[in-house]
Amino acid sequence: MIIVMEREATDAAVAAVEAKIRGKGLDVHVSRGTERTLIGAIGDERKLDPEMFEAMEGVEKSMHILKPYKLVAREWHKANTVIDVGGVPIGGKTVQVIAGPCSVETHPQMHAAAAGVRAGGARLMRGGAFKPRTSPYAFQGKGIEGLKLLKDAAASRKLPVVTELMDARMLDAFLEHGVDVIQIGTRNMQNFDLLKAVGQVSTPVILKRGMSATISEWLMAGEYIAAGGNHNIIFCERGIRTFETAYRNVLDVTAIAVMKRETHLPVIVDPSHAGGKAWLVPALSCAAVAAGADGLLIEIHPTPKEALCDADQALTPDEFAVLMHQLQAIARAVGRDL
Ligand code: PEP
Ligand code: MN
């Protein structure tokens, strides 16, 4: 059972609901978000009826949720949730594009990339400062210095930034450096301590799908973040592992439609890590927007051949601008803007 409190519900009203649930012998989980408080009753729900709470002060609505994921489920929140990232709405009518290099490398690289992001019409910039690399000998990212370079280049074009957090011990540094969206990568989708840590802050989180995770596991990972009180979650499909070896991962287009049905939260797509080749990015981007994605996360680099990470899949700024133009027509065809 989930009890949705009104935005202005008082602590006393929350405590009264809590007491009523405990009185019936069930446990309580309170998730205090910046927008509203959600109360979950854990235990034998047959002892509860939604009507028991509906007349109580501060209660907006209450209902049984059948799915194992509760707070992220569309069951209690039929409308799409729109997440504001520094004035850029994600999950609304406009398909938002986040673009930038795989890794933050240098000041000139980041400024050229930021210019490309803006020229193409994207509203947010990405760039990895802490890189999860398969080899310990590969470029690991610039660390804190990278966060500064990313923020500086993006600020010059008034773009909020997205960057990956691998270690909960770096969370404070991310907040101090003004990271606008925290990305949890595919390799950490079920790093539950990391999920709990980002659940404690209000910074929006992009939660990438684990490369071998089911949709249900992915939603449950989102539930960990929401349970902590951070309701600003953006799911990102980035391709899954299958028997196919002709390209990097299989973009699970079906998952976009399934996720949009299962969750009220925004669902975006990363065509770059799905395809792994720059020439595949346009086709996968078009498919994603046509299937209902709320946004795209695309790797671009001023000189892809020189990229220190994921050189094969980066678009040049010119290729990116052409793609953005093409995507506008697809977005319009499905009743969206871009
Ligand atoms: C990335 O976006 O830079 C990245 C490492 O992605 P993923 O976690 O999807 O591999
Ligand atoms: Mn990459």
Side-chain angles (χ1 to χ4, degrees), residues 55-320:
M56 292 181 77
E57 195 204 313
V59 173
E60 186 180 305
K61 59 183 169 184
S62 57
M63 68 196 71
H64 287 294
I65 304 284
L66 300 172
K67 299 281 168 57
Y69 34 90
K70 314 281 179 194
L71 309 180
V72 304
R74 201 183 271 282
E75 249 178 289
W76 74 271
H77 196 281
K78 300 293 175 215
N80 291 326
T81 288
V82 180
I83 296 176
D84 179 86
V85 179
V88 180
I90 302 186
K93 190 171 187 228
T94 304
V95 176
Q96 298 294 357
V97 179
I98 305 161
C102 180
S103 311
V104 177
E105 297 166 6
T106 65
H107 184 274
Q109 172 241 13
M110 290 307 287
H111 277 265
V117 173
R118 243 310 157 211
R123 305 273 305 275
L124 299 109
M125 185 171 188
R126 62 153 288 148
F130 296 86
K131 296 303 302 175
R133 304 304 301 278
T134 302
S135 166
Y137 310 118
F139 175 59
Q140 302 286 308
K142 295 274 233 191
I144 296 289
E145 171 65 14
L147 292 184
K148 291 182 186 158
L149 290 172
L150 170 64
K151 260 317 255 194
D152 171 65
S156 75
R157 307 281 164 173
K158 297 198 166 46
L159 300 161
V161 303
V162 176
T163 195
E164 178 166 353
L165 178 71
M166 294 200 295
D167 185 332
R169 289 170 296 186
M170 296 311 294
L171 181 54
D172 287 344
F174 271 48
L175 300 179
E176 276 162 31
H177 286 88
V179 169
D180 300 286
V181 182
I182 298 168
Q183 180 174 314
I184 302 293
T186 193
R187 294 160 187 82
N188 276 312
M189 188 204 81
Q190 282 187 318
N191 180 339
F192 298 116
D193 286 338
L194 189 58
L195 300 178
K196 284 178 187 167
V198 297
Q200 295 303 311
V201 299
S202 58
T203 309
V205 176
I206 288 181
L207 178 63
K208 287 199 159 190
R209 180 182 184 179
M211 61 184 88
S212 302
T214 64
I215 288 174
S216 166
E217 287 165 340
W218 186 17
L219 287 159
M220 290 307 284
E223 189 75 14
Y224 262 89
I225 301 172
N230 188 350
H231 302 161
N232 300 318
I233 306 159
I234 299 157
F235 290 96
C236 179
E237 160 64 35
R238 49 78 71 200
I240 52 173
R241 284 215 163 154
T242 70
F243 51 82
E244 185 53 73
T245 55
Y247 38 87
R248 194 171 181 183
N249 292 287
V250 174
L251 175 64
D252 186 359
V253 178
T254 312
I256 304 165
V258 174
M259 287 293 282
K260 288 299 296 174
R261 190 180 163 92
E262 291 301 310
T263 179
H264 56 93
L265 294 162
V267 178
I268 67 169
V269 168
D270 173 347
S272 307
H273 291 88
K277 299 280 176 211
W279 65 268
L280 274 169
V281 171
L284 301 185
S285 301
C286 289
V289 174
D294 295 305
L296 296 169
L297 180 66
I298 300 179
E299 288 189 347
I300 72 166
H301 194 285
T303 46
K305 285 193 188 67
E306 291 164 24
L308 294 179
C309 183
D310 287 348
D312 287 355
Q313 68 196 34
L315 297 182
T316 63
D318 287 350
E319 289 166 341
F320 176 61

